[in-house]
Amino acid sequence: MINVALPKGRLGEKVYQMFERAGYECPSIKENNRKLIFENAEKGIRYFWVKPSDVSIYVERGAADIGVAGKDILLEYSPEVYELLDLNIGKCRMAVAGKKDFYDDNQRTLRVATKFVNIAKSYYASKCRDIDIIKLNGSIEIAPILGLSDVIVDIVETGTTLKENDLDIVETIVPISARLISNKASFKFKTEEIEKIVEGMKAQVKFDD
Ligand code: PRP
């Protein structure tokens, strides 16, 4: 049996469709209920719906053999997992944004509000820029508006949230997409089954034109 941690929500539904098309369907998952675990014994697959940011924890600790996590989470938490495949969905970017009149005064420490503390720290360390990190848990865009920070480091997908809050992108840090990941021990002991899933999923990946 291969245990798969799926990110709950819109992305997870797309991911499940890819598994389904790859031949790992589990019809009961589509029944509208609040169950979190679904299994197709015949196909040797069991799915769990978990919070997207928790997928890598389940996989790292072996509660799931494989899972799908955003590159943002993998960069931020550096879990000890194998990254097997870029699914080319859930695409967005990690970016620095600020008010339209933002000007970076190098003489001053830059105040950066973010959920992604490690990504922000390593990005500014690579630029030898002194920063003061302000860790927030959501609604990051409000920080520069209220003068809590000079800039934010956050995910930008459509750009609507920035636009509606009169913020602009200052720099893009890294493109983000969903990745198929594996527990290291599972990959060693269930290599054949996992590789078969990777091949099936690879065939479902849609590349950009
Ligand atoms: C994310 C991110 C931005 C928004 C970007 O927030 O933090 O706020 O999506 O998307 P857009 O460019 O399409 O507007 P999310 O909805 O995950 O909630 P959060 O406030 O908890 O971060």
Side-chain angles (χ1 to χ4, degrees):
M1 185 67 77
I2 298 288
N3 293 303
V4 186
L6 293 176
K8 223 194 295 187
R10 211 158 41 93
L11 175 66
E13 275 154 33
K14 276 193 194 166
V15 172
Y16 171 71
Q17 272 177 19
M18 292 177 78
F19 275 98
E20 190 179 55
R21 291 195 189 116
Y24 297 92
E25 73 278 5
C26 184
S28 59
I29 210 166
K30 291 190 168 163
E31 288 164 16
N32 190 14
N33 57 31
R34 297 184 64 82
K35 257 180 76 163
L36 297 171
I37 304 180
F38 299 89
E39 171 176 323
N40 182 344
E42 211 177 290
K43 295 277 176 174
I45 201 124
R46 185 186 293 132
Y47 296 104
F48 322 134
W49 288 119
V50 307
K51 198 172 170 189
S53 52
D54 289 342
V55 167
S56 65
I57 301 173
Y58 284 83
V59 174
E60 182 176 39
R61 291 179 172 264
D65 298 303
I66 59 173
V68 172
K71 185 68 179 173
D72 51 333
I73 300 297
L74 302 179
L75 289 171
E76 180 62 21
Y77 299 106
S78 306
E80 283 290 323
V81 297
Y82 293 130
E83 196 181 305
L84 302 176
L85 184 64
D86 182 346
L87 299 180
N88 206 30
I89 55 172
K91 287 172 71 168
C92 51
R93 54 185 159 153
M94 188 65 65
V96 179
K99 289 210 294 192
K100 291 186 185 302
D101 61 357
F102 167 72
Y103 158 78
D104 192 0
D105 176 359
N106 277 304
Q107 306 299 310
R108 293 181 47 214
T109 300
L110 186 70
R111 295 169 307 152
V112 182
T114 189
K115 255 200 291 207
F116 300 94
V117 169
N118 294 323
I119 293 176
K121 278 187 184 163
S122 67
Y123 175 67
Y124 282 106
S126 75
K127 299 179 75 159
C128 299
R129 181 74 173 93
D130 271 338
I131 59 164
D132 176 13
I133 287 271
I134 302 158
K135 161 89 167 99
L136 296 177
N137 299 298
S139 300
I140 319 292
E141 291 82 1
I142 213 163
I145 300 170
L146 299 182
L148 177 64
S149 74
D150 301 306
V151 292
I152 62 172
V153 165
D154 200 13
I155 284 170
V156 180
E157 192 181 349
T158 60
T160 311
T161 312
L162 291 183
K163 200 165 162 233
E164 305 231 323
N165 290 290
D166 294 319
L167 301 176
D168 270 345
I169 289 183
V170 177
E171 287 150 304
T172 291
I173 300 179
V174 66
I176 303 289
S177 57
R179 310 294 163 102
L180 181 64
I181 59 173
S182 166
N183 172 268
K184 291 190 168 179
S186 300
F187 193 74
K188 193 167 163 195
F189 296 110
K190 301 181 181 177
T191 317
E192 210 176 299
E193 294 98 308
I194 294 177
E195 278 186 340
K196 201 172 151 219
I197 294 174
V198 175
E199 284 314 304
M201 291 296 273
K202 217 181 250 175
Q204 309 312 316
V205 176
K206 293 195 180 91
F207 294 102
D208 306 325
D209 301 327

